[in-house]
Amino acid sequence: MKRTARAFWTGPPGHGEIRDVVLPDPAEGEVVVRSLWSGVSRGTETLVFRGGVPENQHTTMRAPFQEGDFPGPVKYGYLNVGVVEEGPDALAGRTVFCLYPHQTRYVVPASAVTPVPESVPAGRAVLAGTVETAVNALWDAAPLVGDRIAVVGGGMVGCSVAALLARFPGVRVQLVDADPARAKTAEALGVGFALPADALGDCDLVVHASATEQGLARALELLTAEGTVLELSWYGDRKVGLPLGEAFHSRRLVIRSSQVGTVSPARANRSYADRLALALDLLADPALDALVTGESDFEELPELLPKLASGEIPALCHRVRYADIG
């Protein structure tokens, strides 16, 4: 008897549908996973949903288990937590994280899943992919004890970075966002908050994650001389202008990119698996529940994604619940 599942696909840009899927029989070394939760990463996934992936980035932006090609139809996503129904004894019955799209069941190599520590609730574990991005960013940025740091952009990635920075000794961390409602999130994460006009300057490091031209310009303004902006935003097909005249050169400012697709050269001795396992360990902190700001059933995804993409539903991580999670 064939195993079946249901999967969410983005069709023409701005439209989605749920399709029936026939699963292959698992081969030796593969696992069958029943989804418990998945997460919508509002920035990247809504950009994919609206067809905003530039043609020259179609290969770079592929998710590990993506099906179809940009701009669509495409099955895209990378925040999935489930239970191993079949597989090696060491994994059978375990709750695992996988970089898999929104689908009720799936078959993947056992090496593609990472066990979720018992200290981490399955619903919080959907944040692992984003916390992994934050880990890589901080490996790139290498903040020091006592640094003055701003995180500009209180989305899912920016808040993850701020949450990890809150653990650094002696640092001044401020989350900067145009939405006053992010003050409550900052408080839950244990960091300060400011609207852009009120942000504290003289920063040694500014992590930029607002994906806006205005945010990046403000990030440069907040730096001390010879300070660094670590750019985490991905703008897709949008062009960005920057004030690189004025005092940019005389103050010897630095803009550096960071991207989770490559393990930071500063930790070249670590593997992708090491980085993801660390992110899952860090999710034992209940403060990170503040990053989950909404929840819907899997069957609601075709109606949900347009609302997330338009901003009608404001969200950090929107969690997707599967019907048989009991």
Side-chain angles (χ1 to χ4, degrees):
M1 183 176 177
K2 289 290 186 182
R3 293 178 180 82
T4 59
R6 289 169 65 73
F8 176 73
W9 282 70
T10 292
H15 298 84
E17 64 179 1
I18 291 176
R19 299 183 181 182
D20 292 326
V21 178
V22 175
L23 299 181
D25 291 328
E28 185 176 354
E30 292 187 326
V31 292
V32 179
V33 179
R34 172 172 55 87
S35 295
L36 298 176
W37 304 94
S38 59
V40 179
S41 178
R42 184 169 178 266
T44 303
E45 285 198 55
T46 58
L47 189 146
V48 169
F49 184 73
R50 69 173 179 82
V53 179
E55 187 173 351
N56 64 4
Q57 293 297 302
H58 283 188
T59 300
T60 301
M61 280 298 298
R62 288 192 69 86
F65 293 101
Q66 174 180 324
E67 293 183 32
D69 297 305
F70 300 122
V74 63
K75 185 175 78 175
Y76 191 87
Y78 47 82
L79 301 173
N80 187 292
V81 176
V83 172
V84 175
E85 292 187 319
E86 295 181 45
D89 290 342
L91 289 172
R94 294 288 302 272
T95 300
V96 295
F97 176 85
C98 186
L99 296 167
Y100 204 87
H102 309 284
Q103 184 165 309
T104 56
R105 275 179 173 81
Y106 52 92
V107 178
V108 293
S111 59
V113 302
T114 302
V116 174
E118 292 185 3
S119 58
V120 179
R124 191 187 304 151
V126 296
L127 299 168
T130 307
V131 173
E132 183 185 9
T133 300
V135 167
N136 205 60
L138 294 180
W139 282 351
D140 280 335
L144 300 176
V145 173
D147 273 359
R148 294 162 296 188
I149 304 173
V151 179
V152 176
M156 194 172 167
V157 171
C159 285
S160 296
V161 171
L164 299 191
L165 284 170
R167 305 162 183 238
F168 278 65
V171 300
R172 183 192 81 190
V173 185
Q174 193 172 56
L175 182 66
V176 180
D177 197 274
D179 182 359
R182 287 288 179 261
K184 185 176 180 180
T185 306
E187 181 181 6
L189 298 176
V191 300
F193 175 80
L195 296 172
D198 303 324
L200 298 172
D202 293 325
C203 293
D204 304 289
L205 169 68
V206 178
V207 178
H208 180 241
S210 82
T212 67
E213 183 175 303
Q214 296 87 350
L216 183 51
R218 185 63 177 138
L220 287 169
E221 292 173 349
L222 295 176
L223 288 175
T224 191
E226 301 198 12
T228 296
V229 168
L230 188 78
E231 176 59 279
L232 289 180
S233 300
W234 193 65
Y235 300 90
D237 55 2
R238 289 177 292 142
K239 297 189 182 298
V240 177
L242 281 178
L244 299 184
E246 303 174 354
F248 178 79
H249 289 283
S250 64
R251 297 176 63 219
R252 297 175 57 84
L253 303 182
V254 175
I255 302 174
R256 181 178 181 184
S257 65
S258 179
Q259 208 274 340
V260 72
T262 302
V263 173
S264 170
R267 294 294 180 271
N269 61 331
R270 308 290 177 88
S271 67
Y272 290 98
D274 292 334
R275 191 179 63 184
L276 180 55
L278 172 59
L280 281 163
D281 285 340
L282 292 169
L283 280 165
D285 186 351
L288 288 159
D289 284 332
L291 274 63
V292 178
T293 54
E295 189 174 302
S296 300
D297 290 332
F298 168 74
E299 299 292 339
E300 298 177 66
L301 275 171
E303 293 75 39
L304 173 69
L305 259 295
K307 295 177 181 178
L308 287 173
S310 69
E312 179 181 343
I313 298 178
L316 294 176
C317 177
H318 193 96
R319 191 162 57 193
V320 178
R321 179 178 55 242
Y322 289 77
D324 54 351
I325 66 171

